[in-house]
Structure formats: structure tokens, C-alpha cells
Amino acid sequence: METADRNEMLKKVQSAEFVAYDLMLYLDTHPNCQTALTKFKEAVEKATKYRKEFEAVYGPLTACASSSAAPWQWIQDPWPWNRK
Amino acid sequence: MWMYEKKLEYPIKIKNPDPRMAKVILSQYGGPNGEMSASLRYLSQRFAMPDEITKSVLNDIGTEELAHLEMVGTIVHQLTRNLSEDEIKAGGFADYYVDYGTAIFPANAAGVPWNASYINSMSDVIANLTENLAAEQKARTVYDNILKLADDPDVIDVIKFLREREVVHFQRFGEALRHVTDLKDCKKYY
């Protein structure tokens, strides 16, 4: 698949996880906010879905998600700091 | 512990090299108000935090700062790819290049290496949180200065994201400080 498609799919993971991370920081100082708790749960569900879709096509985002088949998938390019 | 996520917090795709801008942005990697200082400041201070709110704020903002350190390194890396000899000379990059090539070394824009005195970590929670509020504002100012010097939309977009996060962190540290002062003002019963 094209690099542009990969970037697009990764962007979905990044934006969903960003929402979750920002809500997490908010919840750290507002631990009793039910609205934020509900939104956090929704954000995490969305992020998990996009992450699974991405990993099915482009490989693992964490070493634990690497497949057991050789060669070891985790090391494969691109790494995040590479432009492509 | 930390497990690596093979992605950046925010996408970075810089098309055109610019060694002059790279040197300026390197300050947010290894400068006094940079992301290395921020992450190590918060992750070190968290051990002296008194309760759940302050521990989690320091831990989670410190963790995000590590992701920002990686982003700043990525910007500098992408701005210094495939540089020609002429670009190195014309871009004022020769003084950095002679020691480090195009590797990422934690230093400020003037080449001064990162130093632990850029951070503080004390057992006084109010001192720590007040320092962190100032640190976020200082980092925000550095990003403002970078935005004044930048002209590449690929760079500006990412710097704006990083700048905005400083504002959010300032807000969270402010809430943590108010929480701690409220606790300290409570009447004590023995």
C-alpha cells in the first residue's frame, strides 16, 4: 500500500490516542468528572479500533503486537522519525 | 516502566532541509527550557509528590514530554537530511556539523550541552509545582520565538502543536498547585 494511505491510517490512531491522552491529564486533576470519564472510555475504544486496523495492514505499533512468524516484524522500517 | 510506541504523538513530515532552523529548534531538545529538561524535571520530581493527584500529573505530563523530546529530535533530524557541503556552510551549520555530523546531540541553539542544573527537584511540593508553571511558560515562549523565525508550513504546524501542549500542561500544574494549597489550608485535627 502507498505511504499516503499508511500516513492517513496512522493519523487516525494518533488523533484518537491524543484525545485519550488529553482526557487522561484532565482526569488526573478532575478524578470525579463523570463526563470526562465517559469520553475517555469512548476515546480509548476508538483508538483501540483504529490501532487494530492499522496493525493488520502495516505491522505492530508495540513489540507485544508483533507476529510470531519470522522474521521478527518489530524491527521493520519505517521508524517514527523517518520521513516516509 | 515504559513500553515504546512505534509512532509519534503528532505526525511530522518535513519536505525541505533547513540547517539554520534545525539549530534553532535543537534548543527545545537540549536547551534550558527544552523537552529533555521538562521530562527529567517532572519525572524526577514525582517521587516527592504527596498524593494521587500530584503523583499522576507529574508522571503523565513527564511521560508526554518524553514524546515531545522524540518529536523535537525528529524535526531536527528531518531538517538536516541529505545536506550538501554548501548547505552546511551557508546554513551556519558547520560548527555543529564538525562535532556531531547530522546526529542529534542535546545542546541549545548556541551549542551549549544539556546540563542537569536546568532542572530542579526538591522535597517541597509547592516549590516544585511553582517551578513547573514557570517552566511551561518559558517553553511556550521559546516555541513563540521559533514560530517568529520559521517560515516552512511543515515546521510551523508541528511547533504550534507543541506550543499548545505547554499551555495545557500549565493549566494542569495550576490545578495541581491549587489542590495542594487547599490541602495545606485545611484545618488539622490530631
Side-chain angles (χ1 to χ4, degrees):
Chain A
M1 278 237 222
E2 290 298 308
T3 311
D5 297 333
R6 184 185 188 277
N7 290 343
E8 215 35 61
M9 277 185 94
L10 187 59
K11 207 168 168 181
K12 278 185 165 178
V13 183
Q14 285 166 316
S15 36
E17 295 200 344
F18 173 72
V19 173
Y21 208 92
D22 200 39
L23 283 164
M24 175 178 82
L25 294 187
Y26 180 84
L27 281 163
D28 287 351
T29 53
H30 304 78
N32 296 311
C33 177
Q34 193 52 58
T35 317
L37 282 162
T38 311
K39 284 187 174 174
F40 178 76
K41 197 167 173 284
E42 285 166 11
V44 170
E45 278 166 13
K46 212 168 163 184
T48 310
K49 177 180 168 279
Y50 289 144
R51 173 180 286 262
K52 280 186 184 150
E53 286 172 7
F54 177 90
E55 288 180 325
V57 186
Y58 296 107
L61 288 168
T62 59
C64 295
S66 200
S67 112
S68 56
W72 176 227
Q73 241 188 329
W74 172 242
I75 62 170
Q76 287 169 6
D77 278 333
W79 282 79
W81 50 91
N82 300 142
R83 201 170 77 85
K84 285 197 170 155
Chain B
M1 75 166 292
W2 282 268
M3 298 281 278
Y4 189 65
E5 291 266 350
K6 207 172 172 180
K7 63 177 173 59
L8 299 174
E9 189 189 10
Y10 187 88
I12 302 176
K13 304 284 165 195
I14 297 167
K15 289 183 282 295
N16 305 312
D18 184 348
R20 198 180 300 279
M21 209 55 224
K23 241 171 100 175
V24 168
I25 294 173
L26 186 75
S27 251
Q28 284 301 70
Y29 195 87
N33 309 307
E35 304 292 355
M36 183 169 291
S37 304
S39 54
L40 296 181
R41 178 186 299 114
Y42 308 148
L43 293 174
S44 300
Q45 286 179 358
R46 73 194 158 134
F47 296 101
M49 287 293 141
D51 71 347
E52 291 174 344
I53 286 188
T54 45
K55 280 181 232 177
S56 63
V57 166
L58 273 280
N59 184 76
D60 297 342
I61 294 181
T63 298
E64 189 179 352
E65 304 293 16
L66 286 176
H68 294 171
L69 182 68
E70 176 181 47
M71 284 178 65
V72 174
T74 299
I75 299 171
V76 176
H77 169 68
Q78 294 190 5
L79 283 172
T80 54
R81 275 171 321 119
N82 310 321
L83 289 179
S84 69
E85 206 180 300
D86 286 345
E87 283 172 321
I88 289 168
K89 286 183 194 163
F93 200 65
D95 48 1
Y96 181 90
Y97 182 82
V98 69
D99 286 323
Y100 314 115
T102 53
I104 305 295
F105 180 78
N108 78 351
V112 181
W114 188 83
N115 190 305
S117 64
Y118 293 159
I119 70 168
N120 228 319
S121 178
M122 300 186 71
S123 57
D124 189 302
V125 56
I126 293 187
N128 285 336
L129 290 173
T130 308
E131 168 166 350
N132 300 351
L133 286 167
E136 294 294 335
Q137 289 300 338
K138 288 190 275 184
R140 197 259 311 141
T141 307
V142 177
Y143 283 124
D144 279 341
N145 293 341
I146 292 172
L147 285 171
K148 284 178 206 154
L149 298 165
D151 51 12
D152 180 348
D154 292 346
V155 173
I156 291 172
D157 179 55
V158 186
I159 299 293
K160 276 182 164 170
F161 171 84
L162 290 167
R163 180 196 178 280
E164 187 61 35
R165 298 310 290 159
E166 310 297 345
V167 178
V168 172
H169 294 170
F170 178 80
Q171 175 71 26
R172 300 285 93 89
F173 281 132
E175 288 156 1
L177 180 59
R178 274 196 292 282
H179 163 75
V180 169
T181 24
D182 286 350
L183 275 186
K184 288 197 185 285
D185 288 342
C186 278
K187 199 170 168 71
K188 288 176 180 62
Y189 296 93
Y190 297 99

PDB file of all heavy atoms in Angstrom, chain B residues 36-50:
ATOM      1  N   MET B  36      13.970  17.832  27.045  1.00  0.00           N
ATOM      2  CA  MET B  36      14.771  16.965  27.917  1.00  0.00           C
ATOM      3  C   MET B  36      14.696  17.483  29.346  1.00  0.00           C
ATOM      4  O   MET B  36      14.468  16.723  30.294  1.00  0.00           O
ATOM      5  CB  MET B  36      16.218  16.912  27.440  1.00  0.00           C
ATOM      6  CG  MET B  36      17.085  15.979  28.264  1.00  0.00           C
ATOM      7  SD  MET B  36      18.690  15.668  27.510  1.00  0.00           S
ATOM      8  CE  MET B  36      18.228  14.683  26.088  1.00  0.00           C
ATOM      9  N   SER B  37      14.855  18.794  29.495  1.00  0.00           N
ATOM     10  CA  SER B  37      14.737  19.403  30.818  1.00  0.00           C
ATOM     11  C   SER B  37      13.354  19.128  31.400  1.00  0.00           C
ATOM     12  O   SER B  37      13.223  18.736  32.561  1.00  0.00           O
ATOM     13  CB  SER B  37      14.942  20.920  30.733  1.00  0.00           C
ATOM     14  OG  SER B  37      16.180  21.226  30.136  1.00  0.00           O
ATOM     15  N   ALA B  38      12.318  19.327  30.592  1.00  0.00           N
ATOM     16  CA  ALA B  38      10.946  19.167  31.082  1.00  0.00           C
ATOM     17  C   ALA B  38      10.699  17.733  31.549  1.00  0.00           C
ATOM     18  O   ALA B  38      10.253  17.499  32.681  1.00  0.00           O
ATOM     19  CB  ALA B  38       9.961  19.542  29.985  1.00  0.00           C
ATOM     20  N   SER B  39      11.017  16.761  30.700  1.00  0.00           N
ATOM     21  CA  SER B  39      10.709  15.370  31.055  1.00  0.00           C
ATOM     22  C   SER B  39      11.459  14.948  32.316  1.00  0.00           C
ATOM     23  O   SER B  39      10.871  14.372  33.237  1.00  0.00           O
ATOM     24  CB  SER B  39      11.036  14.435  29.882  1.00  0.00           C
ATOM     25  OG  SER B  39      12.365  14.619  29.457  1.00  0.00           O
ATOM     26  N   LEU B  40      12.767  15.263  32.376  1.00  0.00           N
ATOM     27  CA  LEU B  40      13.553  14.819  33.537  1.00  0.00           C
ATOM     28  C   LEU B  40      13.176  15.586  34.799  1.00  0.00           C
ATOM     29  O   LEU B  40      13.233  15.047  35.907  1.00  0.00           O
ATOM     30  CB  LEU B  40      15.046  14.940  33.244  1.00  0.00           C
ATOM     31  CG  LEU B  40      15.542  14.034  32.108  1.00  0.00           C
ATOM     32  CD1 LEU B  40      17.040  14.204  31.900  1.00  0.00           C
ATOM     33  CD2 LEU B  40      15.224  12.560  32.385  1.00  0.00           C
ATOM     34  N   ARG B  41      12.749  16.835  34.631  1.00  0.00           N
ATOM     35  CA  ARG B  41      12.297  17.633  35.783  1.00  0.00           C
ATOM     36  C   ARG B  41      11.081  16.961  36.419  1.00  0.00           C
ATOM     37  O   ARG B  41      11.068  16.634  37.599  1.00  0.00           O
ATOM     38  CB  ARG B  41      11.955  19.052  35.328  1.00  0.00           C
ATOM     39  CG  ARG B  41      11.429  19.950  36.453  1.00  0.00           C
ATOM     40  CD  ARG B  41      10.957  21.301  35.922  1.00  0.00           C
ATOM     41  NE  ARG B  41      12.038  22.043  35.274  1.00  0.00           N
ATOM     42  CZ  ARG B  41      12.098  22.334  33.971  1.00  0.00           C
ATOM     43  NH1 ARG B  41      11.128  21.957  33.166  1.00  0.00           N
ATOM     44  NH2 ARG B  41      13.105  22.997  33.467  1.00  0.00           N
ATOM     45  N   TYR B  42      10.062  16.692  35.618  1.00  0.00           N
ATOM     46  CA  TYR B  42       8.811  16.158  36.167  1.00  0.00           C
ATOM     47  C   TYR B  42       8.968  14.706  36.631  1.00  0.00           C
ATOM     48  O   TYR B  42       8.445  14.325  37.680  1.00  0.00           O
ATOM     49  CB  TYR B  42       7.676  16.257  35.136  1.00  0.00           C
ATOM     50  CG  TYR B  42       7.521  17.643  34.550  1.00  0.00           C
ATOM     51  CD1 TYR B  42       7.088  17.834  33.250  1.00  0.00           C
ATOM     52  CD2 TYR B  42       7.830  18.766  35.325  1.00  0.00           C
ATOM     53  CE1 TYR B  42       6.970  19.114  32.715  1.00  0.00           C
ATOM     54  CE2 TYR B  42       7.718  20.044  34.793  1.00  0.00           C
ATOM     55  CZ  TYR B  42       7.292  20.213  33.482  1.00  0.00           C
ATOM     56  OH  TYR B  42       7.183  21.470  32.964  1.00  0.00           O
ATOM     57  N   LEU B  43       9.682  13.917  35.838  1.00  0.00           N
ATOM     58  CA  LEU B  43       9.801  12.501  36.207  1.00  0.00           C
ATOM     59  C   LEU B  43      10.682  12.322  37.449  1.00  0.00           C
ATOM     60  O   LEU B  43      10.545  11.339  38.170  1.00  0.00           O
ATOM     61  CB  LEU B  43      10.334  11.682  35.018  1.00  0.00           C
ATOM     62  CG  LEU B  43       9.360  11.603  33.821  1.00  0.00           C
ATOM     63  CD1 LEU B  43      10.013  10.895  32.642  1.00  0.00           C
ATOM     64  CD2 LEU B  43       8.048  10.915  34.198  1.00  0.00           C
ATOM     65  N   SER B  44      11.582  13.273  37.703  1.00  0.00           N
ATOM     66  CA  SER B  44      12.380  13.215  38.940  1.00  0.00           C
ATOM     67  C   SER B  44      11.581  13.753  40.123  1.00  0.00           C
ATOM     68  O   SER B  44      11.599  13.168  41.206  1.00  0.00           O
ATOM     69  CB  SER B  44      13.671  14.024  38.787  1.00  0.00           C
ATOM     70  OG  SER B  44      14.443  13.508  37.736  1.00  0.00           O
ATOM     71  N   GLN B  45      10.860  14.845  39.900  1.00  0.00           N
ATOM     72  CA  GLN B  45      10.085  15.460  40.992  1.00  0.00           C
ATOM     73  C   GLN B  45       8.962  14.556  41.504  1.00  0.00           C
ATOM     74  O   GLN B  45       8.560  14.652  42.651  1.00  0.00           O
ATOM     75  CB  GLN B  45       9.435  16.758  40.503  1.00  0.00           C
ATOM     76  CG  GLN B  45      10.382  17.924  40.335  1.00  0.00           C
ATOM     77  CD  GLN B  45       9.642  19.154  39.820  1.00  0.00           C
ATOM     78  OE1 GLN B  45       8.435  19.090  39.560  1.00  0.00           O
ATOM     79  NE2 GLN B  45      10.345  20.250  39.677  1.00  0.00           N
ATOM     80  N   ARG B  46       8.462  13.678  40.636  1.00  0.00           N
ATOM     81  CA  ARG B  46       7.243  12.919  41.015  1.00  0.00           C
ATOM     82  C   ARG B  46       7.463  12.054  42.263  1.00  0.00           C
ATOM     83  O   ARG B  46       6.527  11.752  42.979  1.00  0.00           O
ATOM     84  CB  ARG B  46       6.738  12.079  39.845  1.00  0.00           C
ATOM     85  CG  ARG B  46       7.592  10.870  39.549  1.00  0.00           C
ATOM     86  CD  ARG B  46       7.276  10.251  38.213  1.00  0.00           C
ATOM     87  NE  ARG B  46       8.461   9.499  37.834  1.00  0.00           N
ATOM     88  CZ  ARG B  46       8.446   8.264  37.354  1.00  0.00           C
ATOM     89  NH1 ARG B  46       7.321   7.655  37.099  1.00  0.00           N
ATOM     90  NH2 ARG B  46       9.575   7.637  37.090  1.00  0.00           N
ATOM     91  N   PHE B  47       8.718  11.651  42.521  1.00  0.00           N
ATOM     92  CA  PHE B  47       8.966  10.794  43.692  1.00  0.00           C
ATOM     93  C   PHE B  47       8.667  11.521  45.005  1.00  0.00           C
ATOM     94  O   PHE B  47       8.418  10.879  46.019  1.00  0.00           O
ATOM     95  CB  PHE B  47      10.429  10.308  43.685  1.00  0.00           C
ATOM     96  CG  PHE B  47      10.744   9.432  42.500  1.00  0.00           C
ATOM     97  CD1 PHE B  47      11.419   9.929  41.394  1.00  0.00           C
ATOM     98  CD2 PHE B  47      10.338   8.098  42.477  1.00  0.00           C
ATOM     99  CE1 PHE B  47      11.693   9.132  40.297  1.00  0.00           C
ATOM    100  CE2 PHE B  47      10.611   7.289  41.382  1.00  0.00           C
ATOM    101  CZ  PHE B  47      11.288   7.809  40.284  1.00  0.00           C
ATOM    102  N   ALA B  48       8.712  12.855  44.974  1.00  0.00           N
ATOM    103  CA  ALA B  48       8.456  13.632  46.195  1.00  0.00           C
ATOM    104  C   ALA B  48       7.024  14.158  46.262  1.00  0.00           C
ATOM    105  O   ALA B  48       6.714  14.997  47.104  1.00  0.00           O
ATOM    106  CB  ALA B  48       9.451  14.795  46.269  1.00  0.00           C
ATOM    107  N   MET B  49       6.155  13.660  45.377  1.00  0.00           N
ATOM    108  CA  MET B  49       4.787  14.180  45.369  1.00  0.00           C
ATOM    109  C   MET B  49       3.941  13.499  46.448  1.00  0.00           C
ATOM    110  O   MET B  49       4.070  12.290  46.655  1.00  0.00           O
ATOM    111  CB  MET B  49       4.156  14.000  43.983  1.00  0.00           C
ATOM    112  CG  MET B  49       4.713  14.970  42.964  1.00  0.00           C
ATOM    113  SD  MET B  49       4.259  16.688  43.328  1.00  0.00           S
ATOM    114  CE  MET B  49       5.792  17.527  42.898  1.00  0.00           C
ATOM    115  N   PRO B  50       3.086  14.284  47.124  1.00  0.00           N
ATOM    116  CA  PRO B  50       2.430  13.781  48.338  1.00  0.00           C
ATOM    117  C   PRO B  50       1.173  12.940  48.122  1.00  0.00           C
ATOM    118  O   PRO B  50       0.825  12.132  48.982  1.00  0.00           O
ATOM    119  CB  PRO B  50       2.067  15.065  49.085  1.00  0.00           C
ATOM    120  CG  PRO B  50       1.889  16.087  48.013  1.00  0.00           C
ATOM    121  CD  PRO B  50       2.846  15.718  46.916  1.00  0.00           C
TER     122      PRO B  50
END
